[in-house]
Amino acid sequence: KVKYWLPVAQYIGGAEHACMHLIYARFFTKALRDLNLIPKFDEPFTKLFNQGILHAQDGNKMSKSVGNIVEPETISKKYGIDTARFFLVSVVSPDKDMNWSEQGIEGSYRFLNKVYNYFKSVKIGKSSKRVESKLNQTIDEVTKLISTFDYNIALIKIRELFESLEPEVNKRTLEDFLKILHPFCPHITEELWTKLGNKPFITLQQWPKADLKKIDPKYNFMDKLKFQINKDIEQVIKLTNIKPKQVKLFIAEPWKYSFFKKLKSELEKTSNLKEILPKVLDQKHNPEIVKITQSSLKDRSKLPEVVLSQEEEKKLIQDLGLPYKIIIILEQQAQEQKAKQALPGKPAILLE
């Protein structure tokens, strides 16, 4: 039995155990080893993880003696126990202390309701390449994050995946989504697994494996770009103190996209301006090309990770989910001077 169970792969316990349980276990292990009563290993536990402490809304450590605990049964009746599990591991890293928040658990409850309602309305058909890419990337990331106890980051990735799911996806996509959510929300995922017509339990299924060949950096960049454009708009609103009725987004002219593709390709070969310019100049836009090239050499972070086409970028930003009207204008059709500032991956913004 000792050979089977020991040494323990992972010990999880409070930091206060270091001077009690842990020191005793280590002492007895070493003593029994020296007496040749157990196999030759020095430590009873291969890895140690100290979890954080849960505090009540009053800021004090939750304790029955203090009388400030939140009973799991109370939470379960109101929200379901999966909501409590989801909230507890999504707020902070498991090794950090955290405060219980009724407002926070409401947010987790809303998310799980969205998941449940999506499964009631989704059409099972074919998943787009974009969804396939996001799914496999998330499986890869979540697998690694769970192994390092980064549960809060894993749930961020799972939420991002859910937000990227489309009205029609294939059954495999739905199944894999449920599998990576399952460790955190075992009850709702088990129910949805059954509603998909699957047997036996999801608990008995193999963990999904990421197909790295299906991960396309372009789709990952598109998600980042959408987030960044939202952030840029909010930043302009904050700086100007304007509450816009509508936002105009100017998308760069087509020549800028082809130029940026050439520029990125040349920058992979050399940082010499004299070698790069002959490869990227086009006479008509030379002054602007020289300026952008010089700026990119000084700070390559200004270059987009992936250069989309003008049409792809236009399609991407048609629905940013903002609380005001978005008007998309192509630079070559614009009357406003602001439009000239548009670059691939960086639309010019005008508030009205």
Side-chain angles (χ1 to χ4, degrees):
K1 288 186 182 294
V2 171
K3 286 179 181 178
Y4 179 82
W5 288 107
L6 295 173
V8 171
Q10 180 71 60
Y11 180 101
I12 303 174
E16 67 273 14
H17 289 186
C19 294
M20 294 182 285
H21 306 187
L22 284 174
I23 200 167
Y24 300 150
R26 295 185 69 221
F27 170 80
F28 280 109
T29 298
K30 292 175 187 295
L32 292 169
R33 176 206 61 196
D34 292 346
L35 291 168
N36 293 319
L37 294 175
I38 61 172
K40 295 287 184 181
F41 56 87
D42 292 327
E43 297 290 346
F45 314 113
T46 306
K47 293 181 182 178
L48 167 66
F49 184 87
N50 294 136
Q51 81 273 23
I53 295 172
L54 180 61
H55 296 268
Q57 293 193 93
D58 60 9
N60 295 313
K61 178 181 175 180
M62 276 196 186
S63 170
K64 286 185 178 180
S65 60
V66 177
N68 62 352
I69 64 168
V70 177
E71 292 286 353
E73 291 81 4
T74 305
I75 298 301
S76 183
K77 286 178 183 177
K78 189 173 181 181
Y79 301 105
I81 206 64
D82 277 356
T83 301
R85 290 170 61 95
F86 188 94
F87 169 65
L88 285 170
V89 295
S90 66
V91 180
V92 295
S93 174
D95 60 331
K96 302 290 190 298
D97 291 0
M98 67 165 288
N99 293 323
W100 180 263
S101 165
E102 197 73 26
Q103 185 177 359
I105 199 167
E106 286 280 357
S108 299
Y109 182 63
R110 285 194 298 272
F111 172 73
L112 291 182
N113 268 306
K114 282 177 68 177
V115 170
Y116 195 84
N117 290 329
Y118 172 76
F119 271 78
K120 287 201 295 185
S121 63
V122 66
K123 180 182 177 182
I124 297 178
K126 185 178 180 181
S127 293
S128 67
K129 290 183 178 179
R130 175 179 166 274
V131 169
E132 291 278 356
S133 175
K134 187 68 175 176
L135 172 67
N136 284 283
Q137 180 187 350
T138 306
I139 291 170
D140 183 50
E141 291 172 334
V142 169
T143 302
K144 294 171 183 174
L145 289 165
I146 287 178
S147 69
T148 56
F149 291 95
D150 292 306
Y151 301 143
N152 55 324
I153 310 298
L155 284 177
I156 289 172
K157 300 295 182 183
I158 291 171
R159 292 183 83 144
E160 288 176 355
L161 169 61
F162 176 73
E163 295 301 331
S164 74
L165 295 180
E166 296 166 350
E168 178 182 328
V169 295
N170 63 30
K171 189 180 179 185
R172 175 71 179 272
T173 297
L174 297 174
E175 290 172 342
D176 284 349
F177 171 75
L178 289 178
K179 285 177 182 179
I180 60 174
L181 180 60
H182 182 68
F184 309 101
C185 304
H187 305 90
I188 187 174
T189 49
E190 198 69 77
E191 181 176 340
L192 293 173
W193 178 261
T194 303
K195 285 183 181 293
L196 286 175
N198 292 323
K199 292 180 181 181
F201 297 129
I202 190 173
T203 309
L204 303 176
Q205 304 305 309
Q206 290 290 318
W207 184 257
K209 289 184 179 180
D211 185 346
L212 302 182
K213 292 179 182 177
K214 290 186 177 180
I215 301 175
D216 189 333
K218 181 175 79 171
Y219 297 114
N220 187 34
F221 169 72
M222 289 169 77
D223 288 337
K224 288 182 182 178
L225 178 59
K226 195 171 181 179
F227 172 80
Q228 188 60 50
I229 293 171
N230 271 317
K231 190 176 177 182
D232 288 345
I233 293 171
E234 295 298 337
Q235 186 66 21
V236 172
I237 291 171
K238 188 177 179 181
L239 289 171
T240 59
N241 204 25
I242 295 173
K243 292 184 178 179
K245 291 183 180 178
Q246 63 182 25
V247 176
K248 286 184 177 179
L249 292 177
F250 301 98
I251 300 176
E253 286 191 68
W255 73 264
K256 291 182 179 178
Y257 293 88
S258 58
F259 157 64
F260 265 70
K261 284 181 180 178
K262 291 178 186 175
L263 179 59
K264 281 177 67 71
S265 176
E266 294 304 319
L267 284 171
E268 290 175 1
K269 304 171 190 174
T270 179
S271 297
N272 189 315
L273 182 64
K274 291 182 179 179
E275 291 180 19
I276 294 172
L277 285 177
K279 304 286 182 65
V280 296
L281 291 174
D282 71 356
Q283 293 187 337
K284 186 178 179 181
H285 307 100
N286 282 352
E288 200 168 351
I289 285 174
V290 172
K291 186 179 177 181
I292 294 172
T293 304
Q294 289 174 329
S295 175
S296 300
L297 279 169
K298 290 179 182 177
D299 183 5
R300 298 198 184 195
S301 67
K302 292 181 180 179
L303 289 166
E305 291 177 30
V306 178
V307 181
L308 306 174
S309 67
Q310 186 190 58
E311 187 57 35
E312 284 176 321
E313 192 165 315
K314 178 185 175 184
K315 189 176 179 181
L316 174 70
I317 62 177
Q318 280 176 337
D319 179 23
L320 290 174
L322 294 170
Y324 23 75
K325 187 178 179 182
I326 298 289
I327 299 175
I328 301 169
I329 304 172
L330 304 181
E331 183 184 346
Q332 65 268 28
Q333 299 171 355
Q335 303 295 320
E336 297 87 344
Q337 278 293 115
K338 187 77 175 179
K340 292 182 179 179
Q341 297 177 13
L343 293 171
K346 195 80 173 175
I349 301 167
L350 183 63
L351 308 181
E352 292 184 340

